[in-house]
Amino acid sequence: MQNEDSQISKGRVGTITRLSVACVALVGGGTIIGLSGSGVASASPKVHWVTFWNAYNDVTETPVMNGVVIPAFESANPGIKVKDDTLPYAGMLQKFIASSARAIHRT
C-alpha cells in the first residue's frame, strides 16, 4: 500500500511539473495567475484551468491568442483549459500587487 501511495504521489508531482512547464510555454507576454484542479486520482480525467492575464491589444493580438494560440495549446495539452483575461495595461501592476498580497496572506 505504501508503494502505491508513493507512486500516486510521484504521479501528482509529475502532473504538476508538466502543467507548470506547459503554462510557462503558454505565457509568452502574459502572466499565468492560477491553476485549479485536484491531484486526486479518479476514473474520469480532471480538467485543470489556467488563468492567463495579459495586456494584449484587442485588435490584433487578442484575436490571435484566443483563435489560434490558446486552442493549439489546449489541443496539445488535453485536460488543461485556458481562461484568457485581457486587462488594461495601466491596471496590470495594481492587479499583480493585489494578487501577490492575497497569495502571501493565504500562506
Side-chain angles (χ1 to χ4, degrees), residues 14-97:
T15 299
I16 291 169
T17 302
R18 285 190 300 276
L19 285 173
S20 298
V21 170
C23 291
V24 169
L26 175 68
V27 170
T31 301
I32 295 207
I33 295 310
L35 288 172
S36 65
S38 113
V40 177
S42 67
S44 63
K46 179 71 176 164
V47 173
H48 298 274
W49 283 91
V50 175
T51 301
F52 177 69
W53 286 352
N54 69 78
Y56 296 136
N57 73 55
D58 290 334
V59 177
T60 58
E61 295 168 323
T62 299
V64 171
M65 181 61 73
N66 290 331
V68 178
V69 177
I70 290 174
F73 176 85
E74 291 175 344
S75 293
N77 299 280
I80 302 175
K81 295 291 182 187
V82 178
K83 178 187 178 289
D84 180 34
D85 192 1
T86 303
L87 307 168
Y89 183 79
M92 286 197 78
L93 179 59
Q94 186 60 37
K95 186 120 178 161
F96 291 151
I97 292 169

